[in-house]
Amino acid sequence: MAPVGGGRTTTTTTTTTTGAVAAAAAALFASLLAAYFIPWKKLSNNNNKKKNRNNNYYKKGLVDAIGNTPLIRINSLSDATACQIFGKCEFLNPGGSVKDRVALKIIQEALESGQLRPGGIITEGSAGSTAISIATVAPAFGCKCHVVIPDDAAIEKSQIIEALGATVERVRPVSITHKDHFVNIARRRALEANEFALKNVNSQLNGKHTDQINGHKSDGSHRSLFPIDCQGGFFADQFENLANFRAHYEGTGPEIWEQTNGNLDAFVAAAGTGGTVAGVSKFLQEKNQNVKCFLVDPPGSGLFNKVTRGVMYTKEEAEGRRLKNPFDTITEGIGINRITKNFAEAKLDGAFRGTDMEAVEMARFLLKKDGLFLGSSSAMNCVGAVRVAQSLGPGHTIVTILCDSGMRHLSKFYNAEYLSELGLTPKATALEFLGIK
């Protein structure tokens, strides 16, 4: 009997012990779950409240969606240079480019100052991206857009502008000093829109005279190309309007600083109007004067010489061999031979030359290695980022701007036949075109 009874006692003890261990384990597991998940849940709830306060779950219309673009690590370039190279994805703005920021700032400031009013026409001379952005943003403020564009710009740009409801006027490229340069024509169109609006106002007043609108005095002339309900014109003037610079000083620069937690060594970008490189460089160097800021400049532009040697002209110009059209580059929207008010605000430590071939090869390399389909100026900026990395050496963090995508560069920059005619057929298999094997 003892063995049988002893057996029962042993079994009961073992079962009790096992149950106690299981219970203890369950309690421990529950406490661990509580310790891990409850604080996370509280943190998540707090973050949700914060997101709600910041309206991060939704945006209040198109205008609110401009800016706060992601900063991404460009893996292929970072790995090749042993630096951390980041690109600010401005092609993710609603209008598809960095110029959305500029268009928004220009329009907002013009409305606030009274230079523009709802129903007015915003005119601009643009190679494409700024015009697209103005045509995108203007309707959100009840305004219209009239764009004057050089006829050698990629055709898809003017097609996009027209599809957005803007009026497009294509003209032949001439020097900025010529009265029919596309920028100068755009300036005239704004004045003519004011004249047209004044004529209509005076007609409606049945003889009561109104001598100015949007600060412009009428001489009685008008143009029929404007809609009958036109409320005057405003010339955006992206090259000289410092709202351009402010858009990046107040927006792009602070975003880069926050996204990198202030841990960056250099910034590099090309310049057309100069607003981006000026606004970002000035902000970053005010935050930390050790952040180096550089320009990358395409063929035909004099800014490289201005930054590095203090003079605008190139060697070819000095030798009397300046070409009729100095902008011998397939990159659009960058390169210039004068100092704009926007560029004058830039704080630069140096400059690098980029070539068309390097931009073409870079665009194909990034598409193949990173899946990044970038426009010509974005590709040139990435050439600049590699040059900065090579100059500073391994271990540095470098930021550049990915201005727009390749979608508006299909007829030229991504056209194999066009590139072949210019001797720019890409052949590189890696980054050997920048001296990296």
Side-chain angles (χ1 to χ4, degrees):
M1 295 294 293
V4 175
R8 290 193 184 108
T9 303
T10 300
T11 301
T12 302
T13 303
T14 301
T15 302
T16 302
T17 302
T18 302
V21 170
L28 177 62
F29 184 65
S31 66
L32 288 174
L33 283 175
Y36 182 78
F37 283 106
I38 291 176
W40 176 86
K41 186 175 181 181
K42 288 180 179 178
L43 179 61
S44 177
N45 287 338
N46 288 336
N47 283 340
N48 287 342
K49 290 177 182 177
K50 184 177 181 181
K51 285 183 178 180
N52 281 328
R53 286 197 301 269
N54 294 334
N55 292 320
N56 285 339
Y57 280 129
Y58 65 89
K59 299 294 183 181
K60 295 179 180 178
L62 177 140
V63 168
D64 202 33
I66 295 173
N68 292 307
T69 55
L71 186 71
I72 64 168
R73 182 181 189 266
I74 305 178
N75 293 329
S76 63
L77 302 185
S78 298
D79 295 343
T81 60
C83 285
Q84 297 295 322
I85 295 180
F86 292 93
K88 190 97 165 85
C89 297
E90 293 299 295
F91 57 84
L92 294 178
N93 278 305
S97 84
V98 67
K99 295 298 186 178
D100 280 15
R101 297 175 184 267
V102 178
L104 175 58
K105 191 67 172 174
I106 286 175
I107 293 172
Q108 285 178 328
E109 290 192 4
L111 287 167
E112 290 169 2
S113 68
Q115 293 176 284
L116 172 69
R117 53 186 183 176
I121 295 177
I122 304 160
T123 71
E124 183 59 299
S126 169
S129 289
T130 302
I132 291 172
S133 293
I134 293 176
T136 299
V137 177
F141 292 95
C143 297
K144 299 178 177 63
C145 180
H146 181 97
V147 177
V148 185
I149 188 170
D151 61 15
D152 62 348
I155 188 64
E156 55 267 37
K157 291 187 177 181
S158 61
Q159 291 172 334
I160 293 170
I161 297 166
E162 288 178 328
L164 289 168
T167 303
V168 177
E169 189 175 349
R170 293 174 66 89
V171 300
R172 67 185 181 90
V174 293
S175 167
I176 186 65
T177 59
H178 195 287
K179 68 181 181 63
D180 289 330
H181 183 275
F182 62 94
V183 171
N184 295 330
I185 293 176
R187 182 182 288 106
R188 288 204 302 273
R189 295 294 179 258
L191 296 176
E192 291 163 357
N194 281 328
E195 294 288 355
F196 181 72
L198 275 170
K199 179 177 175 20
N200 286 338
V201 169
N202 287 329
S203 296
Q204 293 168 9
L205 290 175
N206 296 319
K208 293 182 180 179
H209 184 64
T210 300
D211 64 357
Q212 64 178 6
I213 187 169
N214 291 355
H216 181 74
K217 190 172 182 180
S218 173
D219 62 7
S221 63
H222 70 278
R223 288 185 61 88
S224 60
L225 58 82
F226 306 114
I228 195 66
D229 60 347
C230 170
Q231 295 298 307
F234 170 74
F235 176 46
D237 198 12
Q238 60 168 325
F239 286 88
E240 307 301 333
N241 189 336
L242 287 176
N244 183 346
F245 158 79
R246 286 188 287 272
H248 299 291
Y249 180 79
E250 298 172 8
T252 319
E255 287 173 28
I256 290 173
W257 181 259
E258 182 177 352
Q259 289 169 320
T260 59
N261 292 316
N263 297 318
L264 74 160
D265 299 292
F267 170 77
V268 59
T273 64
T276 304
V277 73
V280 174
S281 66
K282 189 167 186 177
F283 177 85
L284 293 178
Q285 292 208 346
E286 286 180 0
K287 296 295 290 186
N288 182 354
Q289 61 183 0
N290 293 320
V291 175
K292 303 297 182 184
C293 296
F294 299 94
L295 171 79
V296 58
D297 210 29
S301 175
L303 296 180
F304 171 84
N305 295 285
K306 182 64 176 179
V307 173
T308 59
R309 296 164 49 203
V311 293
M312 184 65 77
Y313 61 82
T314 65
K315 180 181 178 181
E316 288 76 16
E317 290 174 302
E319 294 173 355
R321 291 186 290 153
R322 179 173 181 173
L323 300 176
K324 184 176 181 181
N325 180 6
F327 300 103
D328 288 339
T329 177
I330 62 167
T331 59
E332 295 186 358
I334 55 175
I336 194 171
N337 276 326
R338 71 182 193 275
I339 300 297
T340 66
K341 289 182 180 178
N342 285 289
F343 187 82
E345 297 291 331
K347 303 295 181 183
L348 298 173
D349 296 283
F352 296 88
R353 272 286 190 206
T355 68
D356 282 347
M357 191 75 252
E358 289 169 348
V360 170
E361 294 283 17
M362 177 61 77
R364 275 63 181 180
F365 176 82
L366 292 172
L367 182 57
K368 180 180 179 181
K369 298 294 185 180
D370 300 89
L372 288 170
F373 184 41
L374 302 176
S376 58
S377 57
S378 302
M380 186 65 80
N381 282 350
C382 289
V383 169
V386 172
R387 290 300 188 200
V388 172
Q390 291 171 320
S391 175
L392 298 181
H396 293 88
T397 298
I398 300 153
V399 176
T400 192
I401 302 292
L402 305 182
C403 313
D404 66 0
S405 78
M407 293 301 291
R408 46 183 80 162
H409 298 266
L410 299 177
S411 65
K412 297 178 71 174
F413 192 65
Y414 282 97
N415 185 324
E417 184 178 351
Y418 175 79
L419 294 178
S420 178
E421 292 174 356
L422 297 175
L424 294 173
T425 300
K427 300 175 182 178
T429 58
L431 290 171
E432 64 266 28
F433 60 94
L434 291 177
I436 298 175
K437 296 182 179 180

